[in-house]
Amino acid sequence: MAVTYFSTNYQRSYDLRRTKFYLLPPTRLFFGKESIASLPTILEPLGRKVLLVYGGGSIKHNGIYVKLKELLSNFNVVEFGEVQSNPQISMVNAGAKICQEQGIDLVLAVGGGSVVDCAKAICAATFYDGDAWDLVLDNTKVTKALPLVAVITLAATGSEYDCGCGLSNSATHQKMAIIHPLLFPVAAICDPQYTYTVSKRQTAAGVADIISHILEQFCVKESNLIADGLCAAVMHAAVIAGKEAYADGFNYDARSNMLWASTLACNSLCGMGTSFQAWACHAIEHGLAAFYNTTHGEGLAILTPIYLRYVLSEDNAPRFAKLFAHVFDLPYGKNDLAQAQAGIKALEDLFAALNLPRTLSELNITATYFEEIATEVMTHWHLDQGMVPLGREDVIKILKRAL
Ligand code: NZQ
Ligand code: ZN
């Protein structure tokens, strides 16, 4: 659908003149049906001894484990399974110990974002003498990492094509990230066939995560035409493909579009050249996950519409109006604010259609730890530099509105 500019003040917001950026994702990306077949060729130059990291067993139900056995017959594979969602730092330490003791050459992660994230941290922790949580608290302590190959089986995080990983510490009630260039996988394999078995619940959570990644990059003080255009295109694809994949998990077209959208949504491309991105919903969701082990995308589905309503103003409405008109094929409207509000309502309707939770109460979350969560958010994130600066009280208000 053709997008109409509703306002004349949009030009102030679209400015590439004052920005510089450097972009070189070192990850080789293999996308499409049977792209898994490239695995031996990818691994060959990296070594023989492989740590295979996976989760609670989905790889044994979606056909990929059998395929791996066939493809890795010439490699010496040490298995490291049972990585849980919101991966714990204890798993990272355990994985790194195996790599150190058994002289592992490379790590192969096969699974969702939690598996890939855990594997990234294992790669770095292998070269760190101490508790891997130190690396989380101070990312500059990452000095070297084993090569990582990521085979992603869930369209959500985009972890296969970025250099971040989210890690939890149940002892301290924290969930934080390591973000370091050494954590880019050497190669990423995105074979949509292996996402067929993703449950409706995780498919929906994935849609919410992809959309949130886009909106986090979109919610900035200053953007540019290309960044906003990429955001609109990828979010639109996530909406269409996400609904179709939710309705029919074995729809290849839907699964492949969703997977490509998830890869593109979180590798910083959609936000290139913009001003500071605060990632406010992710900050708050990580705070919730630290206490309640929330499913990442579900937490975001609850927080995102509330956050958008909280920050929406006459000033930023034109950009939202334009974005949502494209993403949700909304009819032409003349009032930017009303159009933006209609877009947020369309987002809520989408989440409702995907049976995502609407409130924290549905996840049995109460206000008990809101103060602690807000403190954590303000300590480790920079919400004061976002599109609309947020302080501690704003975080608590958003959480309360989400109850
Ligand atoms: O554990 P298994 O048995 O593998 O089952 C998983 C898990 O139960 C299952 N699953 C994965 N692939 C499947 C499948 N089930 C059937 N068929 C398949 N093909 O799905 C469940 C959820 O998996 P998980 O990996 O936890 O989900 P997701 O991919 O959403 O990852 C969430 C984690 O990634 C972090 C989140 O914070 C969270 O810890 N994130 C990582 C990011 C990054 N590295 O860039 C960015 C994100 O914003 C996010 O923070
Ligand atoms: Zn996310």
Side-chain angles (χ1 to χ4, degrees):
M1 152 181 183
V3 170
T4 312
Y5 296 107
F6 302 127
S7 168
T8 50
N9 73 356
Y10 72 90
Q11 282 169 333
R12 275 194 289 119
S13 310
Y14 293 89
D15 193 346
L16 208 53
R17 284 171 302 178
R18 277 172 289 171
T19 66
K20 290 201 287 188
F21 55 80
Y22 172 73
L23 177 69
L24 180 61
T27 305
R28 288 193 291 149
L29 188 83
F30 297 77
F31 185 93
K33 214 177 251 186
E34 304 308 338
S35 53
I36 189 76
S38 308
L39 194 57
T41 322
I42 296 168
L43 300 189
E44 197 67 41
L46 303 175
R48 288 270 138 216
K49 199 148 188 194
V50 181
L51 185 77
L52 170 62
V53 181
Y54 58 93
S58 71
I59 70 164
K60 298 196 174 153
H61 304 295
N62 62 9
I64 203 166
Y65 187 74
V66 174
K67 190 75 185 172
L68 291 172
K69 287 272 166 195
E70 175 197 315
L71 294 170
L72 299 176
S73 59
N74 288 331
F75 294 83
N76 181 352
V77 180
V78 177
E79 294 194 19
F80 184 73
E82 296 301 330
V83 174
Q84 309 279 316
S85 292
N86 295 318
Q88 286 291 327
I89 199 66
S90 51
M91 284 301 275
V92 176
N93 283 318
K97 193 160 180 273
I98 295 174
C99 292
Q100 289 161 351
E101 288 176 354
Q102 302 204 26
I104 296 289
D105 296 319
L106 70 135
V107 176
L108 173 63
V110 184
S114 296
V115 166
V116 179
D117 281 12
C118 184
K120 283 176 177 170
I122 289 172
C123 289
T126 298
F127 296 99
Y128 182 72
D129 190 17
D131 184 354
W133 193 247
D134 297 345
L135 307 178
V136 180
L137 294 176
D138 181 0
N139 293 183
T140 65
K141 288 191 168 155
V142 175
T143 53
K144 199 175 170 189
L146 282 173
L148 170 70
V149 174
V151 181
I152 197 77
T153 65
L154 202 169
T157 61
S159 181
E160 71 280 5
Y161 203 55
D162 70 26
C163 65
C165 57
L167 301 163
S168 300
N169 188 335
S170 56
T172 60
H173 283 303
Q174 285 176 300
K175 179 168 180 181
M176 292 167 66
I178 307 179
I179 300 175
H180 196 286
L182 287 171
L183 300 191
F184 273 111
V186 173
I189 297 181
C190 308
D191 191 330
Q193 296 175 108
Y194 295 109
T195 66
Y196 284 158
T197 50
V198 175
S199 66
K200 276 191 191 293
R201 182 180 169 198
Q202 289 295 340
T203 300
V207 175
D209 194 19
I210 299 167
I211 288 174
S212 171
H213 294 160
I214 296 293
L215 288 169
E216 302 280 33
Q217 291 166 92
F218 187 85
C219 289
V220 290
K221 282 191 181 127
E222 286 191 28
S223 184
N224 58 75
L225 279 170
I226 293 174
D228 281 7
L230 288 171
C231 283
V234 178
M235 190 168 159
H236 184 249
V239 170
I240 303 293
K243 281 193 284 196
E244 288 174 0
Y246 185 81
D248 175 8
F250 287 84
N251 177 337
Y252 182 82
D253 195 32
R255 286 296 195 192
S256 57
N257 274 288
M258 206 179 139
L259 189 54
W260 186 218
S262 70
T263 306
L264 285 173
C266 202
N267 71 347
S268 70
L269 199 62
C270 293
M272 270 301 146
T274 68
S275 61
F276 187 82
Q277 300 164 12
W279 288 70
C281 293
H282 272 67
I284 303 172
E285 204 291 316
H286 279 202
L288 288 167
F291 282 94
Y292 296 100
N293 197 24
T294 40
T295 295
H296 180 62
E298 291 185 346
L300 293 169
I302 296 166
L303 293 169
T304 302
I306 292 162
Y307 165 79
L308 290 173
R309 287 219 164 80
Y310 196 83
V311 298
L312 181 64
S313 68
E314 292 279 355
D315 268 1
N316 57 37
R319 282 183 66 230
F320 282 120
K322 182 184 169 215
L323 175 80
F324 290 139
H326 181 85
V327 168
F328 293 112
D329 292 330
L330 293 177
Y332 175 81
K334 286 204 166 114
N335 178 320
D336 288 327
L337 200 54
Q339 190 80 32
Q341 281 158 344
I344 299 171
K345 172 76 171 57
L347 184 64
E348 283 175 327
D349 291 346
L350 170 74
F351 289 164
L354 297 176
N355 284 310
L356 283 158
R358 315 285 298 277
T359 62
L360 294 176
S361 309
E362 288 170 60
L363 305 182
N364 295 320
I365 294 176
T366 61
T368 313
Y369 299 112
F370 284 0
E371 297 282 339
E372 285 92 332
I373 291 170
T375 302
E376 184 71 6
V377 167
M378 298 318 290
T379 308
H380 298 291
W381 300 73
H382 302 281
L383 270 51
D384 54 324
Q385 294 174 42
M387 180 178 65
V388 173
L390 299 182
R392 195 169 181 283
E393 290 314 309
D394 298 306
V395 172
I396 291 172
K397 273 188 205 159
I398 289 170
L399 282 165
K400 284 189 175 161
R401 285 185 194 179
L403 275 172

